[in-house]
Amino acid sequence: MLPDKVNSELIFLFASVINEIQNGPISSAHYKLAKYLTSNDIILTFNWDTLMDRALSEVTNWSTDCGYIVKPKKIYRNGWILPNLEEKKSPKLIKLHGSTNWITSPTIVKKGKPVLSQASSPETYYVFESTVEPFPAYEGRYMAGYEPFSYGYYPPNIPDDPGISADKGYMFFSSTLRTPLRPKVQGDKSGLTSIPLIIPPVKNKSYNMYGSLFKKLWEEAENSLVKANQIIVIGYSFPKTDIQSNNLFINAFMKRDNLPKVTIIDPLPAKIVDKFKYEFGIPTEKLDVYDQYFTDNFDMQMLFKDD
């Protein structure tokens, strides 16, 4: 795990860049894909962006209330509200490394160990969806002008949680971005300081920091791979440092009674094809490979054709 302050700054940097990139029209490629999905489909993603979230929300009955498998404590829709726990028929979205619109508390040091600063259990998390009014944020630094599922640098502060105090001589948060584009402001700063809930791309990932949250997500992901008739891999390169994702597929395929059809979409698919053939045990006749980028020009219908 990275040192506390470095880890927080890294998370904010990643989330800020992604929020700026995705703050625009709905991604055409994700929109077109979402139109083909049904309530029987499950999307596993290692990405933090909300491109798929927004497309699903626009095209299907999917919602942040129940669509992430794990239920958030509250959702920000122009104010904090409780999630609607009534299940709807829609695809499910499992985000195995968190999401820029998932919110948790920063870490503090207690008895020499990093822990979340929230008083609620560590698996408790919140979701930002949209706003038309300023929300309470760190130092009152709300920024306007963002599409749903995106926000400016600091997410909404966590409501109704007094937090826990740090050990003497430690602070739970001290990162402040000051540029001409983000001058110091004096807006509403009520609530507990928050931070995006994403797992940075380091070798030793801090899943256990969040209690049972990621344990449940990875278990659900494995179950979905065990049951799937078709698995479509879009642009994921299976990096060597991501040992857990590699084991996810191995463990799932070992539990299967049959082999799924696997479709791979990647401009340079050779290494991914070799992984599925020689590490995961998927024979050539079960593989469909498209050596191209996943863009709005991709023929989505090819992915869902009947054999």
Side-chain angles (χ1 to χ4, degrees):
M1 184 182 295
L2 292 172
D4 215 25
K5 184 176 180 181
V6 175
N7 186 67
S8 295
E9 291 177 348
L10 187 65
I11 288 174
F12 273 109
L13 177 61
F14 283 141
S16 177
V17 171
I18 292 172
N19 274 318
E20 296 302 322
I21 293 172
Q22 66 192 10
N23 183 36
I26 296 176
S27 165
S28 298
H30 291 79
Y31 184 90
K32 289 181 179 180
L33 176 61
K35 291 177 70 174
Y36 281 93
L37 300 178
T38 72
S39 58
N40 295 321
D41 294 314
I42 298 176
I43 302 164
L44 310 182
T45 179
F46 301 98
N47 294 342
W48 310 312
D49 67 70
T50 58
L51 298 176
M52 197 73 243
D53 316 47
R54 195 172 168 199
L56 288 171
S57 180
E58 182 74 15
V59 177
T60 73
N61 286 328
W62 182 91
S63 73
T64 56
D65 300 77
C66 295
Y68 291 127
I69 300 292
V70 288
K71 310 297 191 300
K73 184 174 182 179
K74 287 188 175 181
I75 300 168
Y76 199 95
R77 294 188 185 122
N78 199 38
W80 288 110
I81 62 171
L82 294 172
N84 181 356
L85 299 183
E86 180 182 354
E87 292 280 355
K88 296 181 180 179
K89 288 187 176 182
S90 67
K92 297 298 183 184
L93 180 59
I94 301 179
K95 309 193 80 167
L96 294 168
H97 286 166
S99 182
T100 55
N101 72 318
W102 291 11
I103 299 171
T104 186
S105 59
T107 56
I108 61 174
V109 176
K110 293 293 290 184
K111 298 181 180 178
K113 296 182 179 180
V115 297
L116 298 182
S117 58
Q118 61 199 40
S120 55
S121 60
E123 58 268 12
T124 302
Y125 83 109
Y126 302 76
V127 164
F128 174 80
E129 188 171 308
S130 61
T131 193
V132 295
E133 299 289 340
F135 53 66
Y138 174 69
E139 284 195 343
R141 296 168 67 83
Y142 164 80
M143 293 173 59
Y146 286 82
E147 298 291 341
F149 295 92
S150 299
Y151 53 86
Y153 207 78
Y154 296 107
N157 284 346
I158 294 172
D160 308 323
D161 192 314
I164 59 177
S165 59
D167 285 344
K168 185 177 181 181
Y170 289 89
M171 294 179 63
F172 64 80
F173 186 72
S174 60
S175 176
T176 303
L177 181 69
R178 300 192 189 282
T179 72
L181 296 177
R182 293 183 174 92
K184 184 180 173 85
V185 294
Q186 294 295 331
D188 189 347
K189 53 185 180 181
S190 60
L192 181 66
T193 299
S194 66
I195 190 171
L197 201 173
I198 63 176
I199 303 295
V202 294
K203 185 174 182 180
N204 297 317
K205 296 179 173 63
S206 54
Y207 300 111
N208 293 335
M209 178 71 69
Y210 305 98
S212 62
L213 179 64
F214 286 99
K215 183 177 185 293
K216 181 174 182 179
L217 287 172
W218 283 80
E219 287 176 350
E220 290 290 338
E222 183 176 310
N223 290 337
S224 69
L225 290 173
V226 170
K227 298 175 182 178
N229 294 321
Q230 180 183 12
I231 297 171
I232 302 173
V233 181
I234 302 176
Y236 185 64
S237 59
F238 291 88
K240 292 181 179 180
T241 55
D242 211 342
I243 299 172
Q244 186 156 340
S245 66
N246 197 71
N247 291 340
L248 172 68
F249 281 80
I250 292 175
N251 293 338
F253 289 166
M254 288 179 64
K255 294 179 180 179
R256 293 183 64 104
D257 296 325
N258 56 14
L259 294 174
K261 173 184 175 183
V262 176
T263 303
I264 298 171
I265 307 168
D266 195 280
L268 298 171
K271 289 184 178 180
I272 305 171
V273 171
D274 286 348
K275 177 171 284 289
F276 273 89
K277 289 171 64 175
Y278 303 120
E279 292 187 42
F280 300 159
I282 304 298
T284 302
E285 61 269 21
K286 286 285 187 177
L287 290 170
D288 276 349
V289 182
Y290 298 93
D291 55 345
Q292 55 188 285
Y293 289 100
F294 180 73
T295 68
D296 55 359
N297 294 321
F298 185 86
D299 186 358
M300 303 290 175
Q301 195 169 4
M302 293 190 300
L303 302 178
F304 301 93
K305 62 185 178 182
D306 294 327
D307 292 333

